[in-house]
Amino acid sequence: MTTRNPALGVLMVLSASVLFAVNGTVSKLVLRAGVEAPQLTLIRAAGAFAGLLLLSVLVRPGVRRLRVSVRELPLLIGFGLAGFFLTPMLYFTAISRLPVGIGLLFEYTAPLLVALWARFGQHQRARPRLWLGLAASLAGLACVAEVWGALELDGLGVLAGLGAAVVLACYYVLGARGVQQRDTLSLTTWAFGASAVAGLITRAVTVGGGGWEPFGERSGGVPVPLLCAYVVVLGSIVPFLLVSGSMRHLPATSVSILGMAEPVIASVVAWLAIGTGEALTPVQIAGGLVVLAGVALAETARLPAPTAPLPDPPVSVDHEVSPLGTPDPAR
């Protein structure tokens, strides 16, 4: 049995937010080198699937954790396509046409969608300050992105960012169900597997897509293959395991709200690493503080979660539980 540990869940989400934030800048450097968004999505998914598959085999109980029943397939495919294929591809498209902060602003309207679903779709009760916290966070994100100074935004970039918000919300909702049925490692492995298959299909039908020449180049003074390695390992495998595991300790609404710290961190990282076009102004800094205040306000608005222990997801017929079945920051 696994007892909920909200403090651990918060630590896991915030750690993932830092890694995702750095990944935003690293991904933009890869895209600047000439790699297309679908290519980078495929590399990310296939690389992460290979790494997680190897880890699944090496860590007890080994390959048995990867067993999948027919009734699990819709959830695994939907979870993989939403969070591991569509969200990153739309996000990469957005930040290739918009500043990182603005792209994330659109994507991180997802917590509002999750909160609306929890309140009106699942009829969960919440304290009124939840909506005040979400409103403050969105207002703060608008300041971070300085949307009033970017009135002529790229239309495709805006649509991609809003589309990423919708599928990211689906990812949070489906993930909350997935961790009740499977251990974190196998859930994330098969989700990336579904994403990799979708990426290969997209690559096959996109005749005349970008070539692989940019992978011999450097971007920001760093070889593109090394940047891609970060996207796979520290930008995908580790943070996604952290987020999936955090859902065993926090509700999807809380995970999505805490994740709103990512755009603030990402803007700082982009400013430090890229510089031109990404510099932070006093208004953006103030907006970042408002985001963090709104996150704290919204997170404390949720009603106390049941203290009853959660059942560990089954991983084998003999009930041999993997150390990764109960998530920790190392995953």
Side-chain angles (χ1 to χ4, degrees):
M1 303 294 282
T2 302
T3 303
R4 288 186 183 273
N5 186 337
L8 176 59
V10 170
L11 177 62
M12 295 170 81
V13 176
L14 293 180
S15 298
S17 294
V18 172
L19 293 174
F20 278 138
V22 176
N23 186 61
T25 294
V26 174
S27 299
K28 186 153 189 173
L29 290 174
V30 175
L31 294 168
R32 281 187 171 184
V35 179
E36 296 183 350
Q39 283 180 288
L40 184 55
T41 303
L42 173 58
I43 292 168
R44 184 190 204 195
F49 175 61
L52 288 168
L53 192 62
L54 178 62
L55 188 60
S56 296
V57 172
L58 294 178
V59 177
R60 290 196 314 155
V63 71
R64 289 196 298 274
R65 69 156 37 86
L66 296 174
R67 294 174 180 173
V68 178
S69 65
V70 175
R71 67 182 180 83
E72 290 179 290
L73 287 176
L75 175 62
L76 293 176
I77 294 173
F79 182 60
L81 292 181
F84 300 75
F85 178 70
L86 293 174
T87 296
M89 185 167 68
L90 290 169
Y91 169 64
F92 292 151
T93 300
I95 65 173
S96 69
R97 295 172 172 270
L98 302 170
V100 172
I102 292 180
L104 280 171
L105 167 65
F106 289 115
E107 180 181 350
Y108 272 83
T109 57
L112 178 59
L113 300 179
V114 175
L116 290 172
W117 168 252
R119 178 63 185 88
F120 300 106
Q122 298 179 319
H123 306 290
Q124 295 179 5
R125 295 171 55 223
R127 297 184 179 93
R129 67 174 179 268
L130 168 67
W131 309 108
L132 179 60
L134 285 172
S137 296
L138 291 174
L141 287 176
C143 292
V144 171
E146 288 192 333
V147 292
W148 54 84
L151 298 179
E152 296 182 1
L153 296 177
D154 182 273
L156 181 57
V158 171
L159 289 176
L162 293 175
V166 174
V167 291
L168 181 60
C170 294
Y171 159 75
Y172 285 129
V173 173
L174 292 173
R177 291 179 53 193
V179 295
Q180 296 174 3
Q181 302 176 18
R182 304 189 64 89
D183 69 295
T184 303
L185 182 55
S186 68
L187 175 67
T188 310
T189 299
W190 285 125
F192 267 119
S195 175
V197 171
L200 288 171
I201 294 174
T202 301
R203 180 71 180 173
V205 300
T206 310
V207 180
W212 301 100
E213 295 81 5
F215 293 92
E217 305 294 329
R218 301 172 74 90
S219 184
V222 182
V224 171
L226 186 58
L227 295 173
C228 289
Y230 180 96
V231 171
V232 169
V233 179
L234 294 178
S236 302
I237 293 178
V238 176
F240 272 114
L241 282 174
L242 287 170
V243 171
S244 296
S246 72
M247 292 181 186
R248 291 189 60 78
H249 301 280
L250 297 170
T253 306
S254 296
V255 174
S256 64
I257 290 171
L258 288 167
M260 294 181 79
E262 180 189 337
V264 180
I265 303 170
S267 293
V268 174
V269 174
W271 168 49
L272 294 174
I274 300 178
T276 304
E278 305 283 350
L280 293 177
T281 66
V283 172
Q284 288 177 309
I285 295 173
L289 296 176
V290 172
V291 170
L292 298 178
V295 166
L297 188 64
E299 173 58 15
T300 58
R302 63 186 178 91
L303 296 175
T307 56
L310 294 173
D312 283 324
V315 293
S316 68
V317 293
D318 57 2
H319 304 291
E320 184 178 3
V321 179
S322 160
L324 294 179
T326 54
D328 57 52
R331 298 279 186 121

